[in-house]
Structure formats: structure tokens, C-alpha cells
Amino acid sequence: MKGISRFFPIFKYPLRWLTRFQEIWDGTEEEHSATVGKPIVYVMRSTSKADLSILQRAAHKRGLPDPVDPLVVNGKTYNRIMYLEELANEVSDQTVSEFHQLLTLHKDQPELDVQLIPAGVFWGRQAGEEAHAGNTMTGDLDNPGHWRKFWLVFFSGRQVLLRFSRSVSLGTMARDHGTDMRIAHKLARVARVHFVRMRHAVAGPKLSQRKELMSALINTPALKKAVSDEARGKKISEEAARKRALSYIDEIAANYNSTLIRVLDRFMAWMWNRIYNGIHVKGGDTIRRLAQQGHEVIYVPCHRSHMDYLLLSYVIYKEGLVPPHIAAGVNLNFFPVGGIFRRGGAFFIRRSFRGNKLYSSVFREYLCWLFQKGYPVEYFSEGGRSRTGRLLPPKTGMLAMTVQGMLRDQQRPVSLVPVYLGYEHIMEVATYLKELKGKDKEKESVFQILKTVAKLRNFGQGFVTFGQPINLKHHLDKVAPNWHESVTRGAQEPERPGWLNPVVGGLAEQVMQGINDSAAANSVNLTALALLSSEHHALMKEELLAQLEVYLGVLREVPYSNMMSVPEETPEELWQQALRTDKFTVDSDTMGEVVSLERMTAIAMTYYRNNILHLMVVPGIVASIIMAKKKVSVAEIAARTQAIYPSLKAELYLSHNVEDLPLWTEALAEELARQKLITLEDGVCTIAQRESAQWYRLRLLANSASETLQRYCIVLELLQQAQPIMRADLEKQSITLAERLSSIHGIDAPEFYDKKVMSTLIASLKQQGLVEINDDGQQIAAEPVGELSDQVDELIDGPVLQTIRQSVEQFVQQLKEQAEHEQKEAPKEEQKPTESNQNQ
């Protein structure tokens, strides 16, 4: 067989000792199972014995046929491997002939279905450098020669990646396109392009020297103009402005080093194994497919922890793709980690560009350069780490620059990939709580890193889910059909179109919804949800397990989205996982075990609960309505939920539309009936007997939404009773009343009185037309507010509602007394002679 000599058995044993590989199957396990039972032929780039040895071991591991064994069809043998040897950028005639032979077999045997499996072997996964593309010691070049391959095996043999691509059905191709030689040529060309794209996806584009990068950027038309404008505006020489621009490039630009990436890969593998029990990854096949199709992939994750940078890059690398260039805050650019981050792909961004047009132009030009070169990019649209566990309102600057990059006549398709990052333990949570109480944010330093590393321990499990990609071109075609008119040719910076801001705002919201769609429920956040929903944050163990069963049933039978992850474990297994994190207190007595949260731990646990609050808030609303009405139709549940839903959607970035609510609430009612928490007959829900086990479980489910409803109640009561009121005063008093309610009723949740959450709620009410503005710029309640407020009030516990109403009445009374005092003082001010009158 071509490429396999009698010496191969001699070589493969030392190669086995010298090499270690990771193999990735691009298809699903179902596709793999379907492929195994069919005739298989492998397609490779290189005739290397070392590559063949890796393929042989990987095929054995996958249960695939040995590539050394020939394919036998009707007593005739064929090569099991086809090699794409490039000669003057053309596929060899022998390879085309072999493709044609296999296609022809299907002409006479329609039932035959030979599967082609492209197998790419990458040694060290180096991208190479533009200036030395022919001399770089890299295994990503075809047939590098025996001596060079020897050194590749010796130096990179412990970090080999083999990518099995999705199989190609020759039977389908023969039926759809024929079996002549023209089809064989086309198939060979497509296979060659496939490997070129695979190499780009695995190793990335060839790297530019840093000096060449700086020279290329500073000489673009956009930066030449920006330098001239800076010189003219700041009244300095063009040379001084040019030096300033170069210093900005040097401050911003990454200095990616693939050797460091390989070292970090080993370190990260050691660290994750030490501090995590496992990393659960979902959606990796999605990003591999995008990269294989030649997309510019932009990862947009949520931001929970400094671990995010490391974890996401590690996962992407393990998925067989090149790690992205990451937008990192300039606060992380300190010695010595700044240099390490920069070589790991980080580029640094200032918190604000305001007032510095030259820096803004330089950063935008660098970002466009990354897109045009084909580097994957990662940035956090929230701008900073969430201190509450909820998604923060997105910062749209990077998204706006991404869209503007499309206006530079970007040829490659661009896809935004929302990424959910979740943890059973986050090392910064205690720090977040201090910051929410007013403590200044600690400045990053080497000392802080060493102190953090010293505390590394069992962090439970981590979760990474790649959400539904957003094709930027398709999105623009839909929301701004005339966007092509704003495209500029060449490197000239395009004008900022009028449609940009609303389009970017909608895109940011869609990204945040995509992140929440990909959420992962786990042992800690589900247990936290149950305990924080209970009185005094304590449950009997049996009650806790029963409530976990309720949550799992809702999430599995009425899933929030098809991208989310739900644990497969039983409630008991989940509890044992949660218990290992040392976050819960367990006391035993003669009646059994009681699981509880200490006060400070309970406050910290709100962070983990908030990671999945959006999954459970609508089931909580449905349960609250049933608890309040005792007996209620599904239609009324849907109507009441629809009235509240727009505010929920804005606050928690829910992806469902209002029109989806009737079907959603009906499915939830059926699930609650299946769990026997209610009875459902003829579309009417009836609550279980009071104080029964089922009643209590429904109560705990309803409490998932209680704090959200209480906050809505505060704002609606204030809006009605204290109107007209300035928006700033409405926000301020809402926060004050929420703090009072928190103190009186023991609501230990920092986000309960968070300014951003209150601001989002008030903005949502205004957007719905529930808040109007009078001639003095004050907020007044629209007519429907009264009915909505009454509906919300019905869902609030009596003592809590009484506290809210009394507090609002006190505030309104204070306003009246203040107004009366001002009226009494007004005549005195008018009678008081001014200094000018006295002089006269």
C-alpha cells in the first residue's frame, strides 16, 4: 500500500513511546456509531510514518478499522488511506484516480456506502511566522522531510492532536452528483481546501512579528489621518503624534507565542485537575464547525471570575482550536503576569476612551486587523466581573467596533458565540460581597495573585457552554437591510452610520440572552435556590431532596432552552456533590438531618442562585399565582404572567417572547400536576391541601420569584403614591425602601437593592408605556399601572406587603410636609430685601 513500507512495524513501537496524542471526533456520537458499521477510507495530508502511527492508535481507540488493513469490496482490495500530496498546488493524479475508483464502485452497487473520514495530524500546533513561513519547525506543513519530521517527533511528540472530521458519504455523492472523473477532481480539491481550513482552525493564521505589526498599523490610511488630526488638535508635531500612536499600539497589542501556549496547556491541565472535579463542556462541535467553515469566531462570554480567561482558552485549545486573542482590562497589565497574558493572546484595553480620539482609532484599527488576519477574538460584553451572579447590562463599545469591522469589507463571515461560564465555587465571591457593601475594589497585584493561589482548593465542577452562534451578516441583513451602503473599500475608516447604535443595542441584548440560554444548573446553585427559598434558610434533608426533585422535573420536562444543561444525577447524588464544597451546615438530631446556611454563607450563596434565577423565575411566578388564587385557570395564569413578563425579560435577559407565555405556562401547569403539587382539571389549577408536603414544595418554588416580585411592588407603589417624582428620586427611594425591607424581613440578597437592577426595572416600565413624563420632566404612572400593581400585590406575603405600604405612606407624608414647609418659607423669602434693594 502506498505510504506504508515493510519497515513501518519497526518504526511504530519507538513512535508509540515518544508520542502522546489527543484525538477529537467532530461529529456526534450517533454519527460515529452510524459510521463504524460502514466501509471506511481515511484521507490524510502527509505520507509520514509518524502520522500513520498516530492515526492507527486513534482508530483503534475509536473502534475504527486499522488504516494499514486494505479495504476489501467484492474480493477486490483498495487502499484504506488516500494521501493528498500537493504538487505545484495540485492534488496528485493517483489520489484523484483513487477517488474515482471508489465513486465508480457505487455506480454498480447502489447499496454500497463508503465513508471518507479526513484525519488531520498536528504536531505542536504551531502557526508559523509570516516572515519565515518556509523555515518554521512545525508539523502543520505537508511532508516536511524525514530529518525535519524527526525533530518534530522529538520536540512536539507529547503534544499531538488528531482531528477526525465528519465522514463524507461517497454513496450520497455518487447518487447526487455522478461518478465521472470531473466529480473525483472536485472531491480532491474540496478535500485539500478542507485540510487548509482545518490547519487554520487548529493553529490559527501565521503570526506577524511585533515590529511588522506596528509598522503595518501605523501606515494604514485610518491611522495616518488620526495621527494628523492629533497633531493638529494637540498642536504637536506629526512625529510626536506618530510616536504617541506607536506607544498605544505597543500598550494594546498581544504578542502571541504558541510555545507558551503549550507550556500553559500543561500547567492548566495540572491546575484544573487539582482544584476542579471536572469541567463540563457543551457545544464544542458548534465552534469547530464554524472554524472549519472559515468563520471569524468571536467569543462573548459572561464574566464571573478571573478564572474565565484561563478556563475558556484552555477549553477552546482542548477542543482542537487555536486559543483566541482576549480583550483584557489594562489593570491586568502588571509585572510579571502582564507579559505572560500578552504572550498568551491577551491584548489590553483601557476602561474608557473618552476624550482620546487617537487611542480610540488605534484600538479600533488593531481590532479590525485581528479580524482581517483571521484571529479568533474574545471579549466580555459586560465590561467587568458580575458581583451579584446576574448578567450585568452590556457595554456595547466592543460590539460596535465589531460591526464597524464588517463595514471594512470583511470577506470572511463573522459569528458571535455567546458563552456561559459557571462554577460551583468562585474564589472572589467573598471579595464581591465586601465591594457591594462599599469597600473599594482591590488593585490587582502579584501579592494578590500569590495570596489567591495559596487558597486554591476543591472548587467543585466548572461548566462551559458555547451558545447559539449569531451570524453577523445575517443579523445585519435582518435588522439593517441597507447596511451594505455603509461599507468602504480598502483600509479607509468608514463613517459611523445612523443605524449603528440601535442595531448594536439589539445585538448586545441578543448576546446576553444567548448566554442565559446556555446556563448550566448544578448541585450548588440548585441547593442554594432551595435553601434560600426556605424560612431561616434551613430544610430537613428529606425536604431538600424533594425540592431538588421538583426543580429537576421542571428543568427536564419544561426546559428553558435546548442549549441549557440539566444534571443527570439523582437528588441524593446532587446533594452529595454539593456537600463536598463545604458550603452547607448539617445538624443531626433524633428526627434526622437539618441542612442550613449560616448568615454570611447565605449572602454568598445568593451569587450561585442568581446564576440560574432566570431559569426558575417564570415557574416561580406561575407557582405564586396558584398559591395566591388557590384555584385559577391556566388562561388567567398566562395573562397575569404576560403582564409582568416584559420587566422580567429586560431584567434577566430572558429570550422567550411574550407570545410564548400561554404555551409555556400551560406546560408548567401540566408538570406541576404531574408532580402532584397541584391538580389540573379542564384547564383549572387547584392548590394542594394547606401544609401538606405538596403545598410546601409549591411554596418553595413560588419563593424563587418572591424577591423579584417584592422589588416590583416597591417601585409600582412608589410610582403611584409619590407621583409626580423625578426618576433619580424614584430610583433612590426604591433602593432605600428595599434596604428597609431587607433589614426588617431578613432578605440577605445584595442585588435586592442594587441600583442597576432598579434602574433597569424603571427603564422597562417606561419602555412599556407604564411610565409617562410630565412637562416638568417628572415620572407619572400611566393608567394600567394600578391594575398591574394590584396583581403584583396579590402575590406578596401579607407582612411584607404591609411593610412596603407603610414605608411608602411615610415617604409620601414626608414629601407633603416638605412641600408645606417650602410653601410657608416662600413668602418670607419674597419679603426679605436683597442686597441691591438695601443699597438703593
Side-chain angles (χ1 to χ4, degrees):
M1 182 181 293
K2 176 189 166 189
I4 302 175
S5 70
R6 62 180 181 273
F7 298 109
F8 175 70
I10 300 175
F11 286 121
K12 72 177 183 178
Y13 292 108
L15 284 171
R16 184 182 295 270
W17 177 75
L18 286 170
T19 57
R20 182 182 300 162
F21 69 92
Q22 174 196 0
E23 59 90 14
I24 293 177
W25 177 270
D26 281 349
T28 65
E29 290 305 316
E30 290 76 15
E31 291 172 336
H32 174 264
S33 300
T35 301
V36 168
K38 297 179 181 179
I40 290 174
V41 172
Y42 304 100
V43 182
M44 298 186 72
R45 301 175 303 166
S46 168
T47 58
S48 164
K49 308 294 187 301
D51 287 8
L52 176 59
S53 171
I54 298 295
L55 174 61
Q56 189 178 42
R57 289 154 61 189
H60 176 74
K61 181 179 177 182
R62 273 276 167 189
L64 299 171
D66 192 323
V68 175
D69 296 336
L71 172 67
V72 180
V73 179
N74 291 337
K76 189 175 180 181
T77 62
Y78 300 87
N79 288 336
R80 179 75 70 175
I81 307 178
M82 299 167 64
Y83 296 101
L84 295 176
E85 295 179 280
E86 294 184 37
L87 299 173
N89 294 325
E90 294 292 336
V91 180
S92 68
D93 291 339
Q94 181 173 344
T95 301
V96 175
S97 175
E98 289 176 347
F99 274 128
H100 185 242
Q101 288 178 29
L102 292 176
L103 282 169
T104 305
L105 283 175
H106 294 80
K107 185 176 182 180
D108 300 326
Q109 304 176 61
E111 73 285 355
L112 184 66
D113 190 13
V114 175
Q115 303 290 304
L116 293 183
I117 301 181
V121 181
F122 301 89
W123 298 78
R125 297 166 65 173
Q126 295 211 41
E129 297 180 359
E130 289 184 337
H132 308 287
N135 299 318
T136 304
M137 184 65 69
T138 170
D140 293 340
L141 303 175
D142 293 327
N143 296 322
H146 297 298
W147 182 245
R148 196 171 178 192
K149 195 73 173 188
F150 169 79
W151 289 111
L152 283 170
V153 172
F154 190 78
F155 286 108
S156 302
R158 292 289 176 171
Q159 287 192 317
V160 183
L161 172 70
L162 186 144
R163 280 269 303 270
F164 286 116
S165 298
R166 282 181 167 83
S167 61
V168 177
S169 168
L170 284 184
T172 301
M173 184 163 289
R175 288 193 300 273
D176 295 346
H177 303 285
T179 61
D180 59 29
M181 186 63 76
R182 179 179 57 85
I183 300 301
H185 273 286
K186 184 176 180 180
L187 184 59
R189 287 195 302 270
V190 169
R192 178 174 170 270
V193 171
H194 176 85
F195 278 110
V196 170
R197 287 184 172 177
M198 183 188 290
R199 180 201 171 281
H200 189 281
V202 168
K206 294 190 181 297
L207 302 175
S208 296
Q209 295 285 347
R210 192 171 177 80
K211 290 183 179 178
E212 294 170 358
L213 159 65
M214 297 179 72
S215 176
L217 286 181
I218 199 67
N219 289 311
T220 59
L223 280 194
K224 283 182 178 179
K225 182 178 183 300
V227 166
S228 297
D229 292 344
E230 179 79 0
R232 189 166 48 253
K234 299 292 177 64
K235 296 181 180 180
I236 59 177
S237 67
E238 290 235 358
E239 183 60 27
R242 180 184 173 89
K243 286 183 179 178
R244 186 174 296 174
L246 285 170
S247 71
Y248 289 157
I249 297 173
D250 189 52
E251 174 189 324
I252 293 168
N255 190 22
Y256 186 85
N257 184 294
S258 55
T259 301
L260 177 66
I261 295 297
R262 294 199 301 274
V263 174
L264 288 176
D265 171 51
R266 294 185 180 183
F267 172 73
M268 290 295 110
W270 168 82
M271 188 174 75
W272 300 135
N273 289 331
R274 179 186 175 190
I275 65 176
Y276 287 107
N277 293 330
I279 305 295
H280 299 267
V281 180
K282 185 175 180 179
D285 56 329
T286 299
I287 57 171
R288 286 198 300 272
R289 184 169 62 252
L290 287 175
Q292 189 66 45
Q293 292 171 350
H295 284 236
E296 169 64 26
V297 181
I298 300 174
Y299 302 94
V300 192
C302 58
H303 203 1
R304 313 283 194 208
S305 165
H306 281 315
M307 283 289 188
D308 298 343
Y309 303 101
L310 304 175
L311 177 61
L312 186 53
S313 291
Y314 174 79
V315 166
I316 291 171
Y317 189 76
K318 287 303 183 184
E319 288 295 321
L321 299 171
V322 61
H325 279 53
I326 308 166
V330 73
N331 59 304
L332 295 177
N333 188 19
F334 60 90
F335 181 83
V337 298
I340 297 174
F341 286 163
R342 199 183 291 276
R343 286 171 176 78
F347 59 97
F348 295 99
I349 179 173
R350 295 181 180 180
R351 291 298 182 188
S352 174
F353 301 174
R354 186 168 298 174
N356 194 336
K357 292 183 179 180
L358 180 59
Y359 182 90
S360 178
S361 297
V362 168
F363 187 85
R364 187 161 52 246
E365 199 67 18
Y366 176 70
L367 194 63
C368 287
W369 179 84
L370 290 177
F371 295 158
Q372 290 164 1
K373 284 290 184 179
Y375 294 103
V377 173
E378 171 192 333
Y379 52 73
F380 299 91
S381 63
E382 294 169 281
R385 291 167 293 160
S386 169
R387 265 64 178 171
T388 64
R390 292 164 169 249
L391 292 182
L392 299 175
K395 310 289 186 183
T396 56
M398 293 292 289
L399 279 173
M401 291 184 191
T402 302
V403 175
Q404 286 176 298
M406 285 286 291
L407 304 183
R408 291 285 189 89
D409 198 22
Q410 169 75 18
Q411 296 299 313
R412 300 172 67 231
V414 177
S415 286
L416 299 168
V417 180
V419 186
Y420 175 88
L421 300 172
Y423 307 87
E424 287 187 330
H425 177 78
I426 292 177
M427 59 185 177
E428 299 104 325
V429 164
T431 304
Y432 292 164
L433 296 179
K434 293 176 183 177
E435 291 176 12
L436 287 169
K437 291 181 178 180
K439 183 180 177 181
D440 292 337
K441 178 179 179 291
E442 290 186 26
K443 185 178 180 180
E444 283 77 6
S445 65
V446 177
F447 176 75
Q448 186 186 36
I449 290 177
L450 293 176
K451 185 171 66 173
T452 301
V453 171
K455 295 179 180 178
L456 291 181
R457 57 184 181 84
N458 179 14
F459 284 3
Q461 302 183 70
F463 301 84
V464 180
T465 304
F466 299 97
Q468 185 65 38
I470 302 170
N471 186 300
L472 192 52
K473 179 183 179 301
H474 295 167
H475 182 80
L476 291 178
D477 288 341
K478 182 178 179 181
V479 299
N482 298 324
W483 71 274
H484 292 280
E485 298 174 2
S486 302
V487 172
T488 59
R489 308 299 173 186
Q492 190 63 40
E493 186 171 353
E495 296 292 330
R496 189 178 179 92
W499 50 261
L500 185 65
N501 285 346
V503 165
V504 168
L507 185 63
E509 185 175 351
Q510 188 173 341
V511 167
M512 305 308 276
Q513 291 173 355
I515 292 172
N516 269 347
D517 281 352
S518 308
N522 60 56
S523 65
V524 170
N525 53 39
L526 288 173
T527 304
L529 177 63
L531 291 174
L532 292 172
S533 298
S534 64
E535 190 175 5
H536 305 304
H537 305 151
L539 289 170
M540 294 286 292
K541 179 184 173 182
E542 292 74 15
E543 293 173 335
L544 173 61
L545 297 181
Q547 196 60 30
L548 291 177
E549 186 71 46
V550 171
Y551 296 152
L552 291 173
V554 169
L555 293 174
R556 289 169 181 168
E557 300 302 323
V558 193
Y560 175 80
S561 77
N562 58 3
M563 299 297 297
M564 62 175 287
S565 298
V566 183
E568 297 179 356
E569 292 86 352
T570 65
E572 176 63 36
E573 290 169 339
L574 282 180
W575 165 238
Q576 293 302 321
Q577 287 181 12
L579 189 59
R580 287 196 292 267
T581 63
D582 297 327
K583 298 180 185 296
F584 309 97
T585 301
V586 181
D587 296 312
S588 300
D589 56 28
T590 56
M591 299 179 65
E593 294 182 338
V594 177
V595 183
S596 61
L597 294 170
E598 296 178 359
R599 183 177 181 277
M600 292 308 298
T601 305
I603 297 174
M605 293 304 289
T606 62
Y607 190 97
Y608 302 99
R609 175 200 63 184
N610 290 345
N611 289 174
I612 60 163
L613 182 61
H614 64 285
L615 302 180
M616 299 305 301
V617 69
V618 170
I621 296 289
V622 170
S624 297
I625 295 171
I626 297 173
M627 291 291 297
K629 303 294 289 185
K630 308 295 188 296
K631 190 171 185 178
V632 59
S633 69
V634 174
E636 184 176 351
I637 294 174
R640 285 173 171 260
T641 308
Q642 283 177 314
I644 304 171
Y645 186 75
S647 296
L648 295 172
K649 181 180 175 72
E651 177 184 336
L652 296 171
Y653 299 103
L654 306 182
S655 58
H656 295 269
N657 296 320
V658 175
E659 297 77 18
D660 300 331
L661 266 296
L663 187 60
W664 192 1
T665 53
E666 182 180 358
L668 286 170
E670 291 175 354
E671 173 58 20
L672 297 180
R674 185 190 70 81
Q675 296 193 35
K676 296 183 171 52
L677 305 187
I678 63 171
T679 56
L680 178 62
E681 294 182 4
D682 299 326
V684 176
C685 301
T686 304
I687 196 170
Q689 185 177 356
R690 185 175 177 83
E691 307 305 338
S692 64
Q694 293 78 11
W695 182 92
Y696 188 56
R697 292 172 200 165
L698 186 68
R699 175 72 179 183
L700 290 177
L701 180 60
N703 286 348
S704 303
S706 61
E707 292 172 11
T708 302
L709 292 170
Q710 290 164 15
R711 194 167 51 250
Y712 289 7
C713 179
I714 289 171
V715 173
L716 293 172
E717 287 288 337
L718 268 174
L719 185 59
Q720 291 179 96
Q721 304 303 325
Q723 63 178 322
I725 183 172
M726 297 300 295
R727 174 166 176 167
D729 292 332
L730 179 59
E731 288 183 8
K732 180 180 178 181
Q733 293 305 319
S734 296
I735 293 169
T736 300
L737 294 185
E739 289 175 338
R740 172 184 286 192
L741 193 66
S742 177
S743 298
I744 294 173
H745 294 280
I747 303 172
D748 292 326
E751 81 282 353
F752 185 67
Y753 41 82
D754 184 70
K755 182 179 179 180
K756 292 178 181 178
V757 175
M758 288 295 186
S759 179
T760 299
L761 171 57
I762 294 169
S764 170
L765 295 174
K766 182 180 178 182
Q767 188 176 12
Q768 297 173 60
L770 298 176
V771 174
E772 298 174 350
I773 310 297
N774 65 12
D775 294 338
D776 295 326
Q778 296 174 306
Q779 314 273 313
I780 58 176
E783 185 176 345
V785 167
E787 182 181 355
L788 177 61
S789 180
D790 291 341
Q791 290 183 3
V792 172
D793 289 352
E794 284 189 63
L795 309 182
I796 308 297
D797 284 345
V800 174
L801 182 60
Q802 184 67 16
T803 301
I804 293 172
R805 286 178 171 172
Q806 286 180 351
S807 300
V808 172
E809 288 174 3
Q810 290 175 6
F811 173 64
V812 171
Q813 184 61 35
Q814 290 173 2
L815 289 180
K816 289 180 179 179
E817 292 174 356
Q818 181 180 349
E820 291 173 358
H821 178 72
E822 290 175 353
Q823 286 179 353
K824 290 178 181 179
E825 292 295 320
K828 297 179 182 180
E829 293 293 331
E830 293 174 1
Q831 294 172 9
K832 185 177 179 180
T834 63
E835 184 178 346
S836 60
N837 289 335
Q838 289 176 344
N839 292 337
Q840 290 175 357

